[in-house]
Amino acid sequence: MTKLTHELSPAELGERLKVARETANVTQDAGAKAAGIARTTLVAIEKGQRSARIDELQALSRYYNVSVNSLLRRESVHVDLVPRFRSLSETGDASIEQAARMLNDLVRAEVELENILGVQRTHNYPPEKSILPGDVRTQAEHDAQNFRNWLGLGEGPVQNLFALMELQLGVRVYSRKLDPKVSGLFAYDDVVGACILINSSHRKDRRIQTGGHELGHFTATRRQPEVYQDEKYENSREERYANAFGRAFLTPARAVMEKFKELTTGSSHLTRRHIILLAHFFSVSRQAMVMRLENLGLTKKGTWDWFKDNGGITDEQARQVLGSAAYDTSSIDTAQSSRLFLLAIDAWKKDLISEGQMSEMLKLGRAQVRELLDEAEAEEDEADDLFKLPH
């Protein structure tokens, strides 16, 4: 799937053209027509049995919405995640197609930067589980606790889920603005590994919940691409497993029980203040916290519905309990990809990519890229020999 060459052979170029065509969701008939050639000729080109002429290459690249340079560039990497998402039931949904392309482009950019810089992504994946017959939620609870033990997390709250996934596990994690109904995507490929894209326009607690859900897919259904949407809530055993895994991983049963006891001792009723403090401690939404309490039998079923019918638990109430400094619903629409950003900045500093290429690779505007580079240069200016790295 990943091709790197100094001079592409007809077979390598043919494979890249095939990946670009499939990513663009174009049939061979349509591609051949756009290039003014017979379908059998395009088939021969994709199989490497015939070299593509430059005019044919230009016509095909325009139709597939890719540049000729990206098809021929030595370091260019061709990733085919998009066609895999088309096999899902959501086929035809433009917002999912757009999100899948975003994930595909970000993965391709990160792998290309790794190749340019000569660095290798290391993984630390736990063995993949399978979903067994029986109560899928019980299995997810057990698997989540084992996973926490494997990571050495104990029973405490997860301080930074996305840093854990990216830096400790080696999962490729990105955050970009997506259609509101799409919370996140997960995909796995033998070459590039596990990849997660989170909707950056969602509030922080919702993004964490999405991350926990995708971690469930990473654990038990790793080789199936997945799109997380609210309206798909628990419509399959795989989704029920992922939701239960995320809840158990972010709010481990024993820790929730202990914190619940600590906070409610002396109280006669569960209050909004209890919910706000618990949700803040575990960095999950108020709804997720109440649902977890219901799930663990710490409050009666229907408690969240009662809150919803009686004014909910508002942001203003949370602000009053936690204070403005502690209360955080951010960061709205903030793109994140820590490792990808570091690689791109390093490549730019070494004059291996331009600012414009960096903008295209990171899927950010030029102003945002300039802001990133200004921050990097400011850090460089204040660097002292004390902080000099040994390599």
Side-chain angles (χ1 to χ4, degrees), residues 137-208:
R137 293 186 180 90
T138 300
Q139 187 199 340
E141 187 91 26
H142 180 76
D143 289 349
Q145 186 57 54
N146 283 344
F147 194 24
R148 289 181 68 97
N149 295 339
W150 184 81
L151 289 166
L153 291 177
E155 297 287 345
V158 178
Q159 297 299 323
N160 189 327
L161 177 65
F162 299 113
L164 182 149
M165 290 195 291
E166 186 169 33
L167 302 179
Q168 191 164 345
L169 296 173
V171 175
R172 300 181 189 277
V173 182
Y174 315 99
S175 177
R176 294 290 187 278
K177 185 177 181 180
L178 306 174
D179 186 278
K181 72 181 180 185
V182 178
S183 295
L185 284 79
F186 171 83
Y188 178 86
D189 176 86
D190 286 333
V191 176
V192 301
C195 321
I196 292 174
L197 175 61
I198 304 288
N199 192 338
S200 68
S201 62
H202 288 172
R203 50 190 290 159
K204 182 181 178 183
D205 51 15
R206 186 171 173 187
R207 296 199 305 270
I208 291 173

Side-chain angles (χ1 to χ4, degrees), residues 259-384:
K259 188 57 67 177
F260 180 83
K261 179 182 177 183
E262 177 188 327
L263 290 175
T264 58
T265 297
S267 301
S268 59
H269 293 81
L270 182 67
T271 66
R272 287 179 171 82
R273 177 176 291 271
H274 293 134
I275 302 300
I276 291 166
L277 290 171
L278 284 166
H280 180 65
F281 181 77
F282 289 102
S283 299
V284 297
S285 68
R286 274 95 75 180
Q287 179 181 1
M289 194 70 251
V290 174
M291 300 296 282
R292 185 58 166 156
L293 295 180
E294 291 184 16
N295 175 251
L296 294 173
L298 294 171
T299 189
K300 293 179 180 176
K301 296 287 185 186
T303 298
W304 178 248
D305 290 336
W306 185 91
F307 278 120
K308 276 200 307 181
D309 294 340
N310 290 273
I313 307 176
T314 66
D315 289 349
E316 181 54 33
Q317 289 166 341
R319 190 174 287 106
Q320 288 173 1
V321 171
L322 301 171
S324 297
Y327 177 70
D328 179 17
T329 60
S330 65
S331 302
I332 301 300
D333 198 19
T334 300
Q336 288 289 330
S337 309
S338 304
R339 186 172 182 275
L340 178 58
F341 285 177
L342 286 174
L343 291 172
I345 291 168
D346 194 19
W348 177 81
K349 284 179 179 175
K350 294 174 178 172
D351 289 329
L352 297 172
I353 61 172
S354 67
E355 198 168 317
Q357 286 174 311
M358 188 171 167
S359 171
E360 183 183 342
M361 295 176 98
L362 299 184
K363 300 299 174 190
L364 297 177
R366 292 294 288 268
Q368 289 173 284
V369 167
R370 179 32 53 194
E371 192 176 325
L372 270 177
L373 294 175
D374 288 343
E375 288 174 8
E377 287 176 327
E379 290 171 357
E380 193 91 0
D381 289 342
E382 68 175 7
D384 189 279

Side-chain angles (χ1 to χ4, degrees), residues 21 45 51-52 54 60 76 94 104 122 130 157 177-178 204 215 233 249 256 263 275 284 318 321 337 348 372 384:
R21 178 180 58 76
I45 289 173
S51 297
I54 188 63
L60 290 170
S76 188
N104 193 82
T122 57
S130 57
K177 185 177 181 180
L178 306 174
K204 182 181 178 183
L215 202 55
Y233 189 76
F249 187 83
V256 172
L263 290 175
I275 302 300
V284 297
V321 171
S337 309
W348 177 81
L372 270 177
D384 189 279

